[in-house]
Each structure stands twice: as structure tokens, then as C-alpha cells.
Amino acid sequence: NLDQQQEYVNIFEIANVFLGEAKPKEELTLGIALSGTKSFLLGQGLVSDEASLLNLKGILERIFVRLGIRDYEFNNQGALNAGIYIQKEKVGLMLRLSAQALNKLNIKNKDVFALTVSLDKVLSFAQSKNRKFIPLPKYPGIARDISFSLKEDLSLKEILALLKKKGQPLLCDVRVTDYYQGKQIPSGYRGLTLSFLYGSNERTLTEEEIQPTHNLICETLTRQFGV
């Protein structure tokens, strides 16, 4: 990924790992690696976030919440690594790769942060009650983009929440895909591009079916927010 000039790399793998020497033990393990910088919209501007141990911590916390695991902690074992514990039992480790390791992998001018965690141990602590699996969509969706200028003092979070409500039941997702400011944008405004995904769990929708909903969203943006 780095050789292909990717600015941000976030990859994972789940596989069996053999531990020990005299009597090797097979253990289902999750591995994650992060490197680089990504940008996202926060408040009134575009923010750059550089990969760190905090990103790995956030990913694990989200996994633990989804599994109903609450009694967990991260204990520093040095400046560059931390142990991962659930109910005082060590289940994994996260770390920043050393310069020696980066040189061996021929990675230059980049930091790499990685973790390994035993899924066999983690899943033994999972609380599965009241958890339901939601299957992936069977039918392809239709994507539409809208680019517009918006006053800087308007809350994007509130706008997205209203658009999701207006788009029901056909609107599956809406997200910010671009943010820009410059000479082409009037003072006091910001330029945005929102990407909308329309779909149904029953069949493939047509352009004619989604058009009324998409028109309503455009009208809402213009009438209520003056875009």
C-alpha cells in the first residue's frame, strides 16, 4: 500500500496462529496495522488525523462495546507498547514498530502501529444476549451526489440527521465525501459534497423510484438551510 502512494493504510487479518515451541497451541488471532494520515470533516473544517496507538485503542473499544465487554483496560508496558486486558487477563498487545523492524520491512519515513489479540480469549468474555446479526444488502443500491455551499454557522450534524429522516424509507446512508473552501466559495460559506445511497431489501430500485425522494432532499437543503 505504501509503495502505491496510499496516504493512509488500515488493514486487518483474522487467522490461526501457532504459539509455543515444545507443544504448539493454535489460537484464532486478530491482527491490525495502521500507518499514515487521513483527513475528515470536523466542525467547520478539514482535520488531519495521524495514525497512533490511540486509533488502535479506539478500534478495540468499539469491538469490545459491540461484544458487550466492559471490564477491559490497556496497561502501558513501555513508551511504545501496551498490553490489552479483559478482567485482568491479558488478551493481546499493541505497539509502535521499532526503527529496526521498519528497516527490515523497508518502510521509510513512516510510523506503523499494530496490534495482535486472541479472539479465542476475547470471545470467551463476550455477552451475546440481545445481539442480532443484520445481513448485508441482497440488492445493489443507487448512489447520488449533491455539491453545494453552506453557511459556516449551520450544524452539519443536524442537517445530516434531518436528511436521513426525510429520505426514509429508501435512503440507506448519507455521508460527507468532500469539503472545500477557496475563491469559488463566498465568504462565510463552506463547500460540501454529500453522497447518498438509496436501496431496498426487497428488490433493485429504479432511477424513477428514487427521484422523488432525492428531489425532496434537494428541496429541504434549499428551503430550510439556504444552500
Side-chain angles (χ1 to χ4, degrees):
N1 281 274
L2 295 176
D3 287 344
Q4 297 302 316
Q5 312 304 316
Q6 296 298 311
E7 293 297 326
Y8 188 75
V9 180
N10 53 341
I11 55 179
F12 79 94
E13 183 175 1
I14 295 175
N16 287 318
V17 173
F18 291 90
L19 306 174
E21 296 180 0
K23 294 182 179 180
K25 177 185 176 183
E26 191 174 10
E27 194 167 68
L28 186 63
T29 302
L30 166 66
I32 299 177
L34 306 177
S35 181
T37 303
K38 63 179 177 178
S39 299
F40 59 93
L41 188 66
L42 181 65
Q44 306 299 320
L46 204 62
V47 176
S48 294
D49 179 37
E50 189 172 357
S52 69
L53 289 177
L54 289 177
N55 296 96
L56 291 176
K57 179 175 179 286
I59 292 170
L60 277 181
E61 287 177 336
R62 178 61 63 88
I63 292 174
F64 291 161
V65 167
R66 292 285 182 88
L67 294 175
I69 298 172
R70 293 182 175 84
D71 188 11
Y72 61 85
E73 60 182 338
F74 304 91
N75 289 340
N76 291 340
Q77 298 179 345
L80 304 180
N81 60 73
I84 305 162
Y85 295 81
I86 299 177
Q87 295 183 18
K88 308 301 181 182
E89 180 179 347
K90 188 173 183 179
V91 298
L93 175 72
M94 58 183 184
L95 71 155
R96 186 176 81 182
L97 267 63
S98 66
Q100 181 180 3
L102 293 174
N103 288 333
K104 187 174 182 180
L105 295 168
N106 198 30
I107 296 175
K108 302 183 184 300
N109 303 317
K110 291 281 187 180
D111 282 326
V112 176
F113 300 86
L115 71 78
T116 177
V117 64
S118 166
L119 288 184
D120 286 333
K121 292 180 180 178
V122 169
L123 295 176
S124 70
F125 294 103
Q127 303 295 322
S128 59
K129 293 181 179 179
N130 300 321
R131 300 281 169 174
K132 294 182 179 180
F133 170 72
I134 300 176
L136 295 172
K138 294 181 179 179
Y139 305 98
I142 298 176
R144 290 280 188 88
D145 289 350
I146 302 176
S147 296
F148 55 89
S149 298
L150 177 72
K151 290 182 179 179
E152 289 184 343
D153 58 354
L154 294 178
S155 169
L156 184 58
K157 182 179 179 180
E158 294 178 5
I159 293 174
L160 292 176
L162 179 60
L163 295 182
K164 289 178 181 179
K165 182 178 179 181
K166 292 283 187 180
Q168 294 301 312
L170 300 183
L171 182 62
C172 302
D173 187 36
V174 55
R175 63 184 61 190
V176 178
T177 55
D178 199 5
Y179 171 91
Y180 43 94
Q181 288 180 313
K183 295 180 180 179
Q184 74 276 23
I185 305 298
S187 177
Y189 284 76
R190 48 186 163 156
L192 294 169
T193 297
L194 300 183
S195 183
F196 298 81
L197 180 64
Y198 300 95
S200 170
N201 292 325
E202 299 175 353
R203 55 190 169 80
T204 301
L205 298 176
T206 65
E207 294 282 349
E208 290 75 18
E209 287 176 303
I210 71 163
Q211 195 59 50
T213 301
H214 195 68
N215 288 342
L216 176 61
I217 286 174
C218 292
E219 292 170 6
T220 300
L221 284 169
T222 303
R223 185 176 62 254
Q224 294 192 225
F225 303 106
V227 306

